[in-house]
Amino acid sequence: MTKIFGHRGAAGTHPENTMISFEEAIRAGADGIELDVHLTKDGIPVVIHDEQIDRTTDGTGYVRDLTYEELKTYNAAKDFPEITEGQAIPSLEEVLSFAAASKMLFILNIELKNDIEDYPGLEEKVIEMITQFQLEQRVILSSFNHYSLMKCMKMNPQIETAVLYMEGLYQPYEYAKKLGARSIHPVLHAAKIDIIQLSEQSGISVRPFTVNDEEAMLQFFESGCSAIITDFPEKAFLLRKKQKPAR
Ligand code: G3P
Ligand code: CA
């Protein structure tokens, strides 16, 4: 059965990459959550999508120029006035701690956001933290920076890695195998049915992003891909449930 990963939690209905967004995705029945990680000025892995905090918080500046203490003072739910309690940018530790304490054994797809900024030491810090929480079997590390993925695989081959890409990569499953990655995460337009089938048949999992409309969800459920990554995990969950054959 195709799994459902909540993109930045449940970004279609909740403030992206916040604790309430992750909690909502799990409540809604997601099998996993996707989240983005950058490094603060003082070297703390934090969960936010952009290099700058301006779009998603009431603060301004680059994550790399702000300490964790400074970052925590901003509200990452500024566009959700109905959420009266401010949502701080979570640290990766906070999210891993939530996952480790949860009865739901959901998957964490941690995207290393080091395709624009370098963030020296990011891989080491993230992998060390995953190991501390003993979450190696529940984590998939993905990145658009494939050099970083290679580094992760060398550091800890136990942790699954996924090749993120946006273009019509030729035989992406062969490329993933060459790197030693176990999966590919294509943008949905690059996830053609034959690519999905050849990839899954050859043991490389496919998880397209960001699959938000119902028709596309149904097509991907039928394609047999390992998972979809969606901003609307509840919608996907209900659709998948309806689709299941009656027994
Ligand atoms: O991991 C899939 C997807 O999140 C990659 O793109 O820009 O939403 O981080 P982006
Ligand atoms: Ca992402």
Side-chain angles (χ1 to χ4, degrees), residues 7 34 36 49 111 113:
H7 187 231
E34 188 266 359
D36 303 292
H49 181 270
E111 183 187 342
K113 276 284 181 209

Side-chain angles (χ1 to χ4, degrees), residues 191-225:
K192 307 292 182 212
I193 183 81
D194 55 330
I195 302 272
I196 293 174
Q197 286 172 350
L198 287 167
S199 189
E200 292 283 351
Q201 278 161 17
S202 69
I204 298 292
S205 303
V206 186
R207 305 183 189 95
F209 71 92
T210 309
V211 185
N212 286 344
D213 79 70
E214 291 198 4
E215 203 183 320
M217 284 178 184
L218 286 170
Q219 278 170 6
F220 284 122
F221 290 155
E222 276 183 22
S223 76
C225 64

Side-chain angles (χ1 to χ4, degrees), residues 73-102:
T73 62
Y74 300 115
N75 182 13
K78 65 160 183 178
D79 295 329
F80 292 77
E82 68 279 14
I83 298 169
T84 46
E85 277 185 27
Q87 286 288 308
I89 296 170
S91 63
L92 178 63
E93 188 174 9
E94 210 175 334
V95 181
L96 295 186
S97 165
F98 161 65
S102 171

Side-chain angles (χ1 to χ4, degrees), residues 122-156:
L122 178 67
E123 296 91 345
E124 286 83 350
K125 285 182 179 169
V126 170
I127 288 177
E128 193 188 326
M129 220 175 260
I130 294 166
T131 312
Q132 269 170 11
F133 281 96
Q134 301 184 321
L135 287 168
E136 294 95 327
Q137 303 304 324
R138 288 173 57 195
V139 166
I140 301 162
L141 291 172
S142 62
S143 183
F144 287 105
N145 180 341
H146 302 171
Y147 291 92
S148 179
L149 290 180
M150 289 298 289
K151 194 170 166 187
C152 292
M153 284 181 262
K154 282 194 189 123
M155 285 173 60
N156 191 334

Side-chain angles (χ1 to χ4, degrees), residues 39-41 50-54 60-67 71 116-117 119:
L39 269 193
T40 62
K41 187 179 178 185
D50 302 354
E51 285 69 29
Q52 288 177 273
I53 67 170
D54 304 48
T60 184
Y62 282 86
V63 176
R64 60 151 199 251
D65 293 334
L66 296 158
T67 64
L71 272 178
I116 296 175
E117 291 285 340
Y119 296 129

